[in-house]
Amino acid sequence: MQRSFVEKSPSGWEGVEREGYVPGEKTAVVRHTLIGHKKAAATDPGPSSEVRYFDVPPGAVTRLEKHEHEHFVIVGEGIGYAIVGDDVREIRQHDIVYVAPWEPHQFINRGDAHFGFFCMVPACRDIPQLLSADELAHLKATPAGPYADPDGAPPPRIRESLGAR
Amino acid sequence: MQRSFVEKSPSGWEGVEREGYVPGEKTAVVRHTLIGHKKAAATDPGPSSEVRYFDVPPGAVTRLEKHEHEHFVIVGEGIGYAIVGDDVREIRQHDIVYVAPWEPHQFINRGDAHFGFFCMVPACRDIPQLLSADELAHLKATPAGPYADPDGAPPPRIRESLGAR
């Protein structure tokens, strides 16, 4: 049963586990699942979307990836770079980022302080994919290229397709 | 075409109009539509969800309402109260509120500073409804009752059903 209220605490949110970026696995990026959970079918019980917060420490990045589902992102704290398609921007608190279907994207902390963002996705969604060699070569030749780090975060895991939270 | 980046500015967001709570109508609550727009059909072009920010000045409230679609809320600034169902909580920056289908809800600023929150909804959604007299009587007898203000914000407008942005 989804709680109506999830209260911010100094280190995260009350009652929300600090997970690895890939759930169950320790990585630099910390994930807080605030509302909802991954669903195998849209008609399964539970919220239709999932709200997560990703805390990206200095030097860390999220995965450079693409997928059919959209991302609705609100920066929570700190300063980072966001790559979306061929574009890159410096982003900071309460800037908004929209990632359309299949747009390659990555979030990067290159500052000295923590950088974190809220990210809303459908509860029922496809598994992220890495970029192909051709897509990566294309990206590298764009303004976003120098910022992209295809090896900075773990690849998608097949077990995510089993609907594991 | 939805922009990938929507940058925060001192008074709102770059390139985003400050609208009335009911679009086109001047009200105390200011609405910023940050990503997406209302769609008549889920298959229409554009983002599948809409991300809005509601700025609630001191003394103001959002509408006490109910609807089938869900709300995914992240507090942006200030201190407010959120009524969800029979419950009420004080909420502040980066607290999270989930409103399940048909749960009556209202957001209230009773402080001296601006209170604002991000609210994500499906782009294709039903029209909000006011509570019935019975539902209002029930709510008034709960812990949330003393906080509820059924007359504090304009009622839903039929023209929203026409898919107006």
Side-chain angles (χ1 to χ4, degrees), chain A residues 8 13 48 70 94-95 98, chain B residues 4 8 13 48 70 94-95:
Chain A
K8 185 79 182 76
W13 281 264
S48 61
E70 300 158 274
H94 295 175
D95 283 348
Y98 170 68
Chain B
S4 303
K8 186 78 183 76
W13 281 264
S48 61
E70 300 158 276
H94 296 176
D95 284 347

Side-chain angles (χ1 to χ4, degrees), chain A residues 67-75 82-85 87 89 91 95-107 118-122, chain B residues 1-7 34-37 39 44-51 120 123:
Chain A
H67 40 66
E68 186 176 19
H69 63 271
E70 300 158 274
H71 278 323
F72 300 85
V73 167
I74 299 165
V75 179
I83 295 173
V84 180
D87 206 356
R89 295 284 179 92
I91 54 175
D95 283 348
I96 308 294
V97 183
Y98 170 68
V99 180
W102 296 114
E103 282 191 304
H105 56 279
Q106 185 169 39
F107 295 88
F118 298 92
C119 178
M120 284 168 278
V121 291
Chain B
M1 180 71 183
Q2 175 61 49
R3 291 184 283 161
S4 303
F5 301 100
V6 183
E7 191 183 349
L34 304 173
I35 304 181
H37 52 84
K39 303 202 295 193
D44 286 352
S48 61
S49 290
E50 201 179 315
V51 179
M120 193 181 81

Side-chain angles (χ1 to χ4, degrees), chain A residues 12-36:
Chain A
W13 281 264
E14 295 294 343
V16 175
E17 196 186 345
R18 296 167 56 89
E19 296 179 282
Y21 182 48
V22 179
E25 209 165 290
K26 195 169 165 52
T27 59
V29 176
V30 174
R31 171 202 178 111
H32 309 249
T33 304
L34 303 173
I35 303 180

Side-chain angles (χ1 to χ4, degrees), chain B residues 5-77:
Chain B
F5 301 100
V6 183
E7 191 183 349
K8 186 78 183 76
S9 70
S11 65
W13 281 264
E14 296 293 344
V16 176
E17 195 186 346
R18 296 168 56 90
E19 296 177 283
Y21 182 48
V22 178
E25 209 164 290
K26 194 166 165 55
T27 59
V29 175
V30 174
R31 171 200 178 114
H32 309 250
T33 305
L34 304 173
I35 304 181
H37 52 84
K38 204 168 194 311
K39 303 202 295 193
T43 51
D44 286 352
S48 61
S49 290
E50 201 179 315
V51 179
R52 301 93 45 89
Y53 188 83
F54 294 100
D55 180 21
V56 185
V61 300
T62 65
R63 197 161 48 213
L64 177 60
E65 64 181 27
K66 62 176 183 174
H67 39 68
E68 186 176 21
H69 63 271
E70 300 158 276
H71 278 323
F72 299 85
V73 167
I74 299 166
V75 179
E77 67 164 352

Side-chain angles (χ1 to χ4, degrees), chain B residues 74-90:
Chain B
I74 299 166
V75 179
E77 67 164 352
I79 304 175
Y81 295 109
I83 295 173
V84 181
D86 297 349
D87 206 357
V88 61
R89 295 284 180 94
E90 188 176 284

